[in-house]
Amino acid sequence: QVTLKESGPVLVKPTETLTLTCTVSGFSLSNARMGVSWIRQPPGKALEWLAHIFSNDEKSYSTSLKSRLTISKDTSKSQVVLTMTNMDPVDTATYYCARIHVTIFGVPNWFDPWGQGTLVTVSS
Amino acid sequence: EIVMTQSPATLSVSPGERATLSCRASQSVSSNLAWYQQKPGQAPRLLIYGASTRATGIPARFSGSGSGTEFTLTISSLQSEDFAVYYCQQYNNWPSTFGQGTKVEIK
């Protein structure tokens, strides 16, 4: 059974750096046909893709947030880490990690499954 | 960046009735479109990928159609567990983008 679980702080202060960890099970981060993405959802709002990382360590970031995001993985620990710098109250959201399906040509597709999500509030 | 527009924002349907949800892309995404269901307090769940292929374990009452810029998710006979918010996602051009969602509520 494939599962993903997010962990990290529930509250961060403005200007601080957020570090979130996604721990996966049921698949390997070295699998060439899979990657892990981070996606967020502000309360009552829509979903926003943030970043993904593939088995070959290829990374991609949201255009608007690229300067603030860093994604990395530790295959031996089955973990993917996302850091977001200079947090602001508008970054208050539920942050999800999800497995991303990758074609044989290395093209990312859909997200399945998703972790349960972790709500991060940015407030002083 | 491709903009995904879903309509209507809210759909009121009686149990057992058919629901038709629309998703429009600002430019062609071929058939590279997925649909997700999200219930309150839960993570999204993949329903459809490739515009029309049901994900594993998804009931046959869910069907997807369309290509290019116009897509439809149809729920043939709504069950109580189907009342939720539905999102479309294009993955033809990255960054991948989601629609704003359609809430299917009980009429």
Side-chain angles (χ1 to χ4, degrees):
Chain A
Q1 181 187 5
V2 173
T3 63
L4 302 94
K5 187 171 185 178
E6 306 86 352
S7 58
V10 296
L11 180 67
V12 298
K13 291 181 169 56
T15 75
E16 287 186 340
T17 293
L18 171 68
T19 299
L20 295 172
T21 300
C22 176
T23 303
V24 311
S25 63
F27 72 102
S28 171
L29 294 177
S30 62
N31 187 319
R33 298 294 304 278
M34 297 170 189
V36 172
S37 276
W38 285 94
I39 299 148
R40 72 177 179 179
Q41 185 175 38
K45 296 188 177 181
L47 301 157
E48 178 184 20
W49 173 78
L50 299 177
H52 65 228
I53 189 166
F54 295 163
S55 60
N56 62 0
D57 217 39
E58 178 183 337
K59 303 162 188 174
S60 185
Y61 297 100
S62 159
T63 305
S64 61
L65 294 169
K66 187 172 184 176
S67 63
R68 300 173 52 205
L69 296 173
T70 302
I71 192 169
S72 62
K73 65 180 175 70
D74 185 330
T75 302
S76 65
K77 293 183 178 179
S78 295
Q79 291 181 333
V80 174
V81 176
L82 181 76
T83 62
M84 181 181 291
T85 61
N86 195 25
M87 293 292 284
D88 183 272
V90 300
D91 296 314
T92 294
T94 296
Y95 288 76
Y96 296 99
C97 61
R99 186 178 65 172
I100 184 166
H101 178 265
V102 181
T103 71
I104 58 173
F105 303 108
V107 178
N109 289 175
W110 56 86
F111 308 109
D112 180 54
W114 299 53
Q116 63 189 23
T118 185
L119 175 61
V120 178
T121 301
V122 184
S123 175
S124 54
Chain B
E1 186 169 303
I2 295 177
V3 176
M4 306 300 292
T5 303
Q6 293 186 241
S7 60
T10 304
L11 186 61
S12 298
V13 186
S14 299
E17 289 189 340
R18 183 187 194 92
T20 302
L21 290 66
S22 296
C23 176
R24 175 177 293 178
S26 60
Q27 65 187 73
S28 176
V29 298
S30 186
S31 294
N32 295 315
L33 185 111
W35 289 94
Y36 301 86
Q37 176 193 67
Q38 186 177 35
K39 297 179 181 179
Q42 296 185 17
R45 176 176 71 143
L46 176 69
L47 297 176
I48 301 283
Y49 61 89
S52 60
T53 302
R54 278 189 303 277
T56 302
I58 301 303
R61 63 180 182 273
F62 291 92
S63 63
S65 63
S67 66
T69 61
E70 300 283 344
F71 300 87
T72 301
L73 175 69
T74 302
I75 311 171
S76 60
S77 176
L78 271 159
Q79 306 298 302
S80 58
E81 62 267 30
D82 300 335
F83 292 96
V85 179
Y86 294 83
Y87 293 96
C88 60
Q89 173 226 351
Q90 69 79 21
Y91 49 87
N92 191 68
N93 288 72
W94 285 78
S96 177
T97 47
F98 293 86
Q100 292 297 108
T102 290
K103 180 180 180 181
V104 178
E105 63 176 24
I106 300 175
K107 186 174 182 180

